[in-house]
Amino acid sequence: MNHPTPNELETKPRKIRSIDIDLLAQLFEQAPDVAFFVKDIEGRYLAVNKSLAQRHGLNEVEEVIGKRPLDICVGRFGQVPTDQDAKLLRTGRPLVDYLEMHWHLPHEPVWCLTTKLPIVDDDGEIVGIVGFSRDVRTPVENHEIPEEFAAALEYFEQNLTEFNTPSALAERSQLSLQRLARLTKRLFGLTPSQFISKTRIAVASRLLYETDKPISDIALSSGFYDQSAFTRAFRIATGVTPSEFRRQAKQVE
């Protein structure tokens, strides 16, 4: 079979101008660790994969279509992405690799990197949103992590107050900042700063969910300077305050 040359390809009309959204949804059915979606100008779901539906405790994707996040998710866990969509539709500014916590029903909080892009028509008008949230997982075995780095991670989880910057973690790991950044990206899919923030918030969210400790105590034990700093960081990562998270986590359960 003769294949067209690059020059021939350049002279041929570009016939593929768009792809049916249902075809995209079928493609993302092969990625269970990704929640895929397309939304209209009102922020309502036009297409999703089954993974997104199941995260909200729904069995069929049809139960999601025509609804917004706040219609299928409890409290602020649904309101935050709805507000996020409204801002993107208004400004056209994409959201790329935004680290946030989602609630995977019935009782599992999961960390995701969310990307949302505006859909623009031929006249340059924003007509919708396409995007996905990718679960943050560790894709390798612990024995594949360099020994010094593994020891530093173990120490970090037990001494959260000692690491405020990537530089401190790099020094403890006996790594350069560049090497540390490559490792956290390969192992966790995160930058060093994202990894530090996720670890602290993850520890705090577990304490909020599993214990009745005062929020001020949880703030300090999770490595934050005070309760105010903790509340700001927690709200940026999860969309809710620590007290709201504790209350809504109990409601979801």
Side-chain angles (χ1 to χ4, degrees):
M1 178 182 294
N2 293 325
H3 296 284
T5 66
N7 288 336
E8 289 174 332
L9 284 174
E10 290 178 3
T11 61
K12 290 180 179 292
R14 295 181 177 179
K15 294 182 179 180
I16 300 178
R17 301 288 297 182
S18 62
I19 297 177
D20 187 274
I21 60 174
D22 289 333
L23 181 60
L24 284 175
Q26 291 178 37
L27 173 65
F28 278 94
E29 288 297 349
Q30 310 308 312
D33 61 338
V34 171
F36 165 77
F37 53 84
V38 177
K39 301 175 183 178
D40 65 14
I41 191 63
E42 301 295 333
R44 297 171 300 203
Y45 291 108
L46 292 175
V48 302
N49 63 347
K50 187 171 290 186
S51 176
L52 186 144
Q54 291 175 339
R55 289 159 192 257
H56 293 86
L58 303 173
N59 294 321
E60 303 295 336
V61 298
E62 288 76 15
E63 298 178 75
V64 180
I65 304 305
K67 297 177 181 177
R68 293 178 294 170
L70 61 79
D71 298 321
I72 60 174
C73 199
V74 175
R76 292 290 297 172
F77 289 109
Q79 186 65 53
V80 168
T82 300
D83 292 344
Q84 218 176 55
D85 295 342
K87 182 178 180 180
L88 188 150
L89 290 165
R90 184 177 69 253
T91 66
R93 295 174 185 167
L95 193 71
V96 178
D97 274 355
Y98 181 74
L99 181 65
E100 58 187 355
M101 182 188 290
H102 291 177
W103 197 263
H104 193 160
L105 291 181
H107 55 71
E108 182 187 359
V110 295
W111 285 88
C112 300
L113 287 172
T114 296
T115 293
K116 298 181 180 182
L117 304 175
I119 301 173
V120 180
D121 64 15
D122 292 338
D123 297 323
E125 297 293 325
I126 297 174
V127 295
I129 299 171
V130 62
F132 61 87
S133 293
R134 173 172 54 85
D135 291 352
V136 174
R137 306 283 191 189
T138 305
V140 296
E141 299 295 332
N142 288 339
H143 64 77
E144 297 182 59
I145 302 176
E147 184 176 345
E148 295 84 358
F149 186 48
L153 294 185
E154 183 177 358
Y155 183 83
F156 170 47
E157 291 181 358
Q158 302 300 321
N159 301 272
L160 296 176
T161 59
E162 294 189 28
F163 295 92
N164 295 315
T165 65
S167 297
L169 184 58
E171 183 177 353
R172 182 77 190 189
S173 305
Q174 301 179 31
L175 299 170
S176 67
L177 272 174
Q178 293 78 8
R179 174 64 172 155
L180 175 69
R182 287 195 296 270
L183 271 175
T184 58
K185 194 67 175 179
R186 181 173 70 85
L187 298 173
F188 307 108
L190 300 171
T191 66
S193 294
Q194 286 176 327
F195 173 76
I196 291 172
S197 175
K198 172 187 175 294
T199 302
R200 284 179 165 174
I201 298 297
V203 168
S205 64
R206 186 172 67 248
L207 292 173
L208 287 167
Y209 182 62
E210 296 178 354
T211 76
D212 294 320
K213 290 183 177 181
I215 291 176
S216 57
D217 291 352
I218 292 176
L220 295 177
S221 62
S222 301
F224 293 92
Y225 179 73
D226 56 22
Q227 184 173 337
S228 178
F230 170 52
T231 298
R232 285 196 300 272
F234 195 90
R235 187 162 193 167
I236 289 172
T238 68
V240 296
T241 65
S243 58
E244 288 174 326
F245 176 87
R246 172 173 272 171
R247 183 176 64 253
Q248 293 184 22
K250 300 298 183 182
Q251 290 176 352
V252 170
E253 183 181 27

